[in-house]
Amino acid sequence: IVLADASHPDQWVRWPIRHADLILLVSQRVVAALAWLGLLRLFDLSAPTSAGLPERQAAELRARSAVPRTAATEADQIAAWRTSSRAQVNSAGDLSPLPLFVLGVSEQPRGAETLTTLQAELPGLSTNSAFRVVQGATHESLIARREHARAVVDAVLDVLESARTGQPLANPATAAAPDTVE
């Protein structure tokens, strides 16, 4: 399993701003309404995500971002997290001995310290885990920028190799500090 700048099951209850999930949920509902009115075609909300992608993929992402169902689905996911998903994830138990690689990013627009702390806890879900922070990366650049996407590919390859051979991941999560990838 590779978690790339992943959410933590308790992210919203430990977030420094109370009810941040509800604020995000409402904002996604507003974005969905604006999309239904066609207003999102006037603005490129995908710009932070699409920067660095080839033109065709950037255009596809812009088109997907303007579809009303995109924001509505994100709002539905946030609502489900409150009512059922969080409890299910928290009751799932650990992943041992499955290989687990957690990738964090160094550039967070909001809640950086909280997110880094929460992500640093995730390798504890498996006895065969690793945690690395991709320096200079954002959530979006993990897919959009070749040098940051390479870190994701390398993590996937490391997990596959560990699963195939039974050997532990090269960067045990029990190390004193997370590895960083330049």
Side-chain angles (χ1 to χ4, degrees):
I1 298 172
V2 175
L3 301 177
D5 196 33
S7 297
H8 186 283
D10 297 327
Q11 178 172 316
W12 297 118
V13 295
R14 292 174 56 190
W15 199 254
I17 300 170
R18 286 179 40 92
H19 306 297
D21 59 331
L22 292 177
I23 295 167
L24 184 58
L25 186 145
V26 169
S27 71
Q28 290 301 317
R29 296 274 189 236
V30 169
V31 169
L34 295 173
W36 279 111
L37 296 171
L39 295 176
L40 294 189
R41 291 186 208 137
L42 302 174
F43 306 100
D44 183 7
L45 298 180
S46 69
T49 306
S50 63
L53 288 176
E55 185 49 43
R56 177 179 176 193
Q57 287 75 17
E60 290 169 351
L61 189 56
R62 281 192 298 275
R64 183 193 66 92
S65 296
V67 173
R69 195 69 218 147
T70 300
T73 299
E74 290 181 20
D76 291 346
Q77 289 172 339
I78 295 165
W81 194 254
R82 292 180 65 86
T83 59
S84 62
S85 299
R86 179 175 173 243
Q88 289 174 348
V89 171
N90 279 331
S91 68
D94 69 40
L95 301 171
S96 296
L98 292 174
L100 171 64
F101 207 121
V102 179
L103 285 172
V105 299
S106 65
E107 308 304 312
Q108 297 280 5
R110 290 175 287 293
E113 187 176 319
T114 299
L115 289 171
T116 300
T117 299
L118 291 169
Q119 288 179 351
E121 293 175 5
L122 293 173
L125 294 171
S126 175
T127 56
N128 183 13
S129 60
F131 177 47
R132 289 192 184 135
V133 174
V134 183
Q135 292 301 312
T138 65
H139 182 75
E140 293 81 8
S141 75
L142 286 176
I143 61 162
R145 299 214 174 181
R146 185 177 301 269
E147 66 273 18
H148 299 153
R150 185 69 219 181
V152 177
V153 170
D154 290 344
V156 169
L157 293 173
D158 287 351
V159 165
L160 289 173
E161 181 68 12
S162 177
R164 185 181 66 74
T165 64
Q167 295 297 308
L169 289 168
N171 170 31
T174 55
D179 282 356
T180 58
V181 177
E182 297 290 330

